[in-house]
Amino acid sequence: MPLILTEDQTMIRDSAEGFFRDAAPVAAMRKLRDADDATGFDRGLWKQMAEMGFAGMLVPEAHGGAGLGYVAAGVVQEAAGRNLAMSPLLATAILAATALSAAGTPEQQAQYLPQIASGERLFALAADEKARHDPRHVATRAEPSGNGFKLNGAKTFVLDGHVADTLIVAARTAGADDDADGITLFLVDAKADGVTLQRTSMVDSRNAARLTLADVQVDGADVLGTVGEGAKLLDRILDAGRACLAAEMLGVSAQSFETTIDYLKQREQFGQKIGSFQALQHRAAHLFCEVELARSATLRALQALDADDDRAAMYVSLAKAKSGDVAKLATNEAVQMHGGIGMTDDVDVGLYMKRARTAQETFGDLAFHGDRLASLMGY
């Protein structure tokens, strides 16, 4: 499969880049950060994104979406990463849309997918419970109760959880805390009795939440997928998020690189443009090659998800690991080549560094995906 965008995907990329550049520049992110905005994003911007079709990229046309696939979602996410745009795109339009499209009942799909595509309903995935990403560790319990279950437990790092209307919660219906078998996913009303959400602000000024569940009653109709067989579904949802996060980090890396190159062409030292210094040219050339490698790995992962390739998980872990490593390199180099001013809030490169660090840790860092990749390859 060629590692290039189709004509339609190129048009989506160009449209997304223009939209985020004009409607959601870095200045908009700074404004939200400085105001300590409780929502964490601009709801007006999210409405515009829905009107552009970005919220429904993974929603089938039958439910009001565009059904464009993961490559299209990735190029939009990359454009958002270039501008550090803050929105529910990842939590709602990618994670939740994947979950409901893959495993929702006809009734669940008819109810929720049109609301995702229109931007009316926000979702959040509640999976992690430990300080570091470990989706197999699920201590939250779902005990049979009436015609459904009662949920008890706690989750951490629930992206956009504080503003979500509906939560997708991983809970254990059988087995020990670290077993793959016995995990079930549930759709939970964020305002249900026993649900407590505490907003937390991260280093990149985005929001997550801590979730506590105390005797939260859910019905059998709230089960997403099959009882006790949610581990594979959870992996599928997370892989969609990981691939699109890799695309976002690619945007962070590419914009950091381009901003730095522009600076090297302008900054003078000893009467010369610093871009003429061979040592900096070598570092810039190396960074360019690394960004392009990350681009190839990310596009291959997105294509594999669209093709439902049996090796998609392997490609996704490779892309997430590579893009995270390159984003770290790109933002480090951006700060260093800017010199002292790169450490201040007067320029944007420090903001890109913070986003790169958070995205790199989200849904598994380099070590997690290196280990997962080795396991998938049989080592």
Side-chain angles (χ1 to χ4, degrees):
M1 185 177 293
L3 294 176
I4 55 174
L5 299 178
T6 66
E7 183 177 347
D8 287 345
Q9 291 162 352
T10 301
M11 290 175 62
I12 294 168
R13 180 199 64 191
D14 294 344
S15 176
E17 287 181 352
F19 173 82
F20 285 109
R21 183 175 58 248
D22 296 337
V26 179
M29 177 266 173
R30 284 181 176 272
K31 184 177 180 180
L32 288 167
R33 179 202 65 175
D34 294 344
D36 191 25
D37 187 87
T39 300
F41 62 90
D42 183 340
R43 289 186 182 271
L45 174 67
W46 179 238
K47 183 178 180 180
Q48 292 179 52
M49 291 173 66
E51 292 171 351
M52 289 286 292
F54 298 157
M57 291 177 297
L58 300 180
V59 175
E61 292 184 43
H63 293 290
L68 294 172
Y70 289 102
V71 173
V75 298
V76 173
Q77 194 81 359
E78 179 184 349
R82 279 182 170 272
N83 295 275
L84 301 180
M86 299 199 293
S87 77
L89 192 64
L90 178 63
T92 296
I94 294 169
L95 298 176
T98 296
L100 287 158
S101 296
T105 64
E107 293 77 15
Q108 290 169 342
Q109 292 180 347
Q111 178 180 355
Y112 294 119
L113 286 176
Q115 293 179 334
I116 290 176
S118 65
E120 295 175 37
R121 181 173 291 268
L122 301 179
F123 284 78
L125 176 66
D128 278 318
E129 299 182 2
K130 300 172 72 174
R132 299 186 72 84
H133 183 60
D134 186 359
R136 285 292 182 270
H137 178 86
V138 178
T140 298
R141 292 283 164 176
E143 301 291 344
S145 174
N147 66 341
F149 299 84
K150 275 192 177 179
L151 307 183
N152 286 278
K155 301 288 184 177
T156 187
F157 203 59
V158 182
L159 297 179
D160 291 329
H162 67 301
V163 293
D165 302 301
T166 303
L167 304 168
I168 300 174
V169 178
R172 185 163 295 285
T173 46
D177 290 356
D178 294 303
D179 288 349
D181 294 334
I183 296 173
T184 305
L185 301 188
F186 296 90
L187 294 168
V188 179
D189 185 346
K191 295 180 175 59
D193 291 341
V195 174
T196 303
L197 287 159
Q198 179 187 0
R199 174 196 172 202
T200 59
S201 183
M202 298 184 290
V203 69
D204 61 352
S205 302
R206 284 161 173 76
N207 294 295
R210 294 189 180 95
L211 167 66
T212 303
L213 302 157
D215 288 334
V216 178
Q217 182 69 43
V218 293
D219 295 331
D222 296 320
V223 173
L224 187 59
T226 304
V227 173
E229 298 179 13
K232 288 185 178 180
L233 174 59
L234 182 58
D235 281 343
R236 183 170 180 175
I237 297 167
L238 289 169
D239 276 343
R242 290 159 177 159
C244 289
L245 269 173
E248 182 185 350
M249 288 190 289
L250 176 61
V252 168
S253 300
Q255 188 60 47
S256 298
F257 172 75
E258 291 171 16
T259 299
T260 303
I261 293 301
D262 288 343
Y263 184 76
L264 295 182
K265 292 177 180 178
Q266 298 171 17
R267 178 76 167 92
E268 289 190 4
Q269 197 172 48
F270 309 117
Q272 299 182 62
K273 303 292 186 185
I274 62 174
S276 66
F277 299 159
Q278 192 175 57
L280 295 183
Q281 291 176 353
H282 287 172
R283 289 167 66 176
H286 173 244
L287 179 55
F288 172 80
C289 294
E290 289 297 302
V291 172
E292 291 306 303
L293 284 171
R295 183 178 303 282
S296 296
T298 299
L299 180 55
R300 185 66 186 90
L302 294 165
Q303 289 174 339
L305 289 174
D306 278 334
D308 201 19
D309 192 320
D310 291 340
R311 299 166 296 174
M314 181 180 71
Y315 289 126
V316 167
S317 278
L318 176 62
K320 181 64 166 62
K322 184 61 179 179
S323 288
D325 196 41
V326 171
K328 180 179 179 180
L329 172 66
T331 53
N332 279 355
E333 290 286 72
V335 170
Q336 290 191 20
M337 292 192 202
H338 274 75
I341 195 174
M343 298 298 294
T344 72
D345 198 50
D346 292 336
V347 295
D348 293 335
V349 291
L351 302 176
Y352 284 87
M353 174 181 278
K354 291 176 180 178
R355 179 56 189 153
R357 294 299 187 276
T358 304
Q360 184 183 32
E361 293 291 330
T362 303
F363 303 149
D365 59 8
L366 177 63
F368 176 91
H369 286 289
D371 181 71
R372 184 181 187 230
L373 186 59
S375 296
L376 289 169
M377 294 177 69
Y379 292 102

